[in-house]
Amino acid sequence: MIKKIKNYIKTNFPKIVSLYKIFRQKKGDVSFEGWGMLTTSTNPPWNNSNNKFTQKFTKIHLNIIENIKNKNFIDTTPGNNIFDSLETLESLKWRHYLIYFSIQLVANVKDSNNYVECGVGDGLSISYVLNEIEDENSKFYLYDSWQPMIKKYLSKKQESRNIGAYNSLNYEITKNNLKNFKKKIFFNQGYIPDIFDKADNPENIAWLHIDLNSSIPTLRCLEFFYNKLDKNGVIIFDDYGWKGYEETKAIVDQFFNDKNGILFQLPTGQGIYINK
């Protein structure tokens, strides 16, 4: 009888069951919490690691923390103070670890030395890449409107809720956040895909990060950059597996249906494609 009651509750009230499991966890059992993830039985890779790549990631992460504390990196999220920014940074740690990991995938197989990010924001994600790539010949092509999202580029079904979002972004602040790497960076300001016609664009690329919170510009990025991607090059998507962005996932899946590479979803909701 008790088993039947438990099964009934699990079937009909799954959210209550999930909350119960979370509250039942002891504080010491939680190894990571943030960005829609909570882990209890596994250690995150940056805990007590002797792996040289993970150690480098930790060094970069701590450097970004210091830059935020010293106001050398400004987070423009409305209402944020330094403490909020640092808390957000910790909650994004798995996300940034996987961005950092994706760079390792192209380290020894790339033909070109060009890296692209579409959807830059304040420059937080690309900071992990810029700090990792030490080659003086590397080039970074960054695309963003640094303006509020507008109706023209958003689907009516799901994405119209984002109209006006990111109105706090500031082009000059992002440039200042990334000033230590200015010799390597081409800043391209404008809405995607319109900006492609007048931007400084690379001929070939090794790596592409897409974080646009919108399906149509995501597709236009793929159409524009896919044929430029090196063999064994990598594309990493920010919004691929997130609830509310099913249109983005559908467009990405459809685009790669007839391609030879490998596309798969990560537990963070990110997606990654390896070109073959």
Side-chain angles (χ1 to χ4, degrees):
M1 183 65 178
I2 294 176
K3 187 175 182 180
K4 287 184 178 180
I5 293 173
K6 286 182 177 179
N7 288 336
Y8 177 81
I9 294 173
K10 287 180 181 179
T11 303
N12 294 282
F13 305 100
K15 290 186 177 180
I16 292 176
V17 174
S18 296
L19 287 171
Y20 170 72
K21 288 180 178 179
I22 291 172
F23 287 128
R24 194 178 65 177
Q25 295 290 340
K26 296 178 182 178
K27 186 175 180 180
D29 291 338
V30 177
S31 56
F32 177 83
E33 184 178 3
W35 219 44
M37 294 177 61
L38 187 148
T39 58
T40 58
S41 300
T42 59
N43 288 312
W46 49 83
N47 278 10
N48 301 317
S49 176
N50 291 318
N51 180 292
K52 64 178 181 179
F53 296 110
T54 305
Q55 288 177 337
K56 179 68 178 294
F57 166 78
T58 300
K59 182 178 179 181
I60 293 171
H61 184 77
L62 292 174
N63 181 58
I64 293 172
I65 287 175
E66 287 305 308
N67 283 335
I68 291 174
K69 287 180 177 179
N70 296 328
K71 298 184 179 181
N72 292 320
F73 189 103
I74 303 300
D75 175 7
T76 64
T77 305
N80 261 14
N81 55 37
I82 288 176
F83 298 104
D84 292 330
S85 298
L86 293 176
E87 184 177 0
T88 299
L89 186 64
E90 289 304 311
S91 74
L92 293 172
K93 204 166 184 179
W94 256 116
R95 173 186 185 266
H96 291 142
Y97 180 81
L98 291 169
I99 289 174
Y100 176 81
F101 167 76
S102 71
I103 285 295
Q104 310 309 320
L105 294 177
V106 301
N108 297 313
V109 297
K110 62 183 183 294
D111 296 320
S112 60
N113 216 0
N114 299 321
Y115 304 82
V116 174
E117 183 171 59
C118 294
V120 182
D122 296 322
L124 183 59
S125 298
I126 201 64
S127 293
Y128 287 85
V129 182
L130 286 161
N131 277 284
E132 170 63 11
I133 306 297
E134 297 178 351
D135 190 333
E136 293 182 358
N137 296 316
S138 61
K139 300 295 181 185
F140 293 81
Y141 297 80
L142 307 185
Y143 300 78
D144 201 304
S145 66
W146 286 283
Q147 295 289 330
M149 299 181 78
I150 58 178
K151 182 178 179 180
K152 176 181 177 181
Y153 303 97
L154 299 171
S155 75
K156 295 180 181 179
K157 186 177 180 181
Q158 283 187 324
E159 298 166 3
S160 59
R161 68 185 186 279
N162 288 334
I163 294 173
Y166 301 102
N167 61 346
S168 62
L169 289 178
N170 185 295
Y171 176 58
E172 294 301 328
I173 287 177
T174 301
K175 286 180 67 176
N176 191 63
N177 285 344
L178 304 176
K179 63 182 180 295
N180 291 339
F181 308 98
K182 61 183 180 180
K183 292 181 179 179
K184 295 183 176 184
I185 297 176
F186 295 92
F187 287 98
N188 295 300
Q189 184 179 15
Y191 289 100
I192 291 172
D194 300 348
I195 186 60
F196 292 148
D197 291 333
K198 55 185 178 181
D200 289 307
N201 301 309
E203 292 184 7
N204 299 94
I205 64 172
W207 181 88
L208 168 62
H209 181 219
I210 301 178
D211 180 11
L212 295 170
N213 299 94
S214 49
S215 55
I216 298 170
T218 294
L219 177 60
R220 298 295 175 255
C221 282
L222 290 174
E223 292 171 340
F224 186 78
F225 286 112
Y226 178 75
N227 290 329
K228 300 174 182 285
L229 187 64
D230 295 343
K231 183 178 181 180
N232 297 311
V234 166
I235 302 174
I236 185 163
F237 300 90
D238 190 68
D239 312 311
Y240 182 74
W242 277 87
K243 291 182 178 180
Y245 291 95
E246 287 82 3
E247 289 174 293
T248 293
K249 185 178 188 301
I251 277 179
V252 172
D253 286 345
Q254 180 63 36
F255 182 86
F256 287 111
N257 270 346
D258 60 350
K259 307 298 189 293
N260 293 325
I262 303 168
L263 172 67
F264 57 97
Q265 183 174 326
L266 300 165
T268 53
Q270 292 160 289
I272 192 166
Y273 172 78
I274 303 173
N275 195 28
K276 297 294 182 183

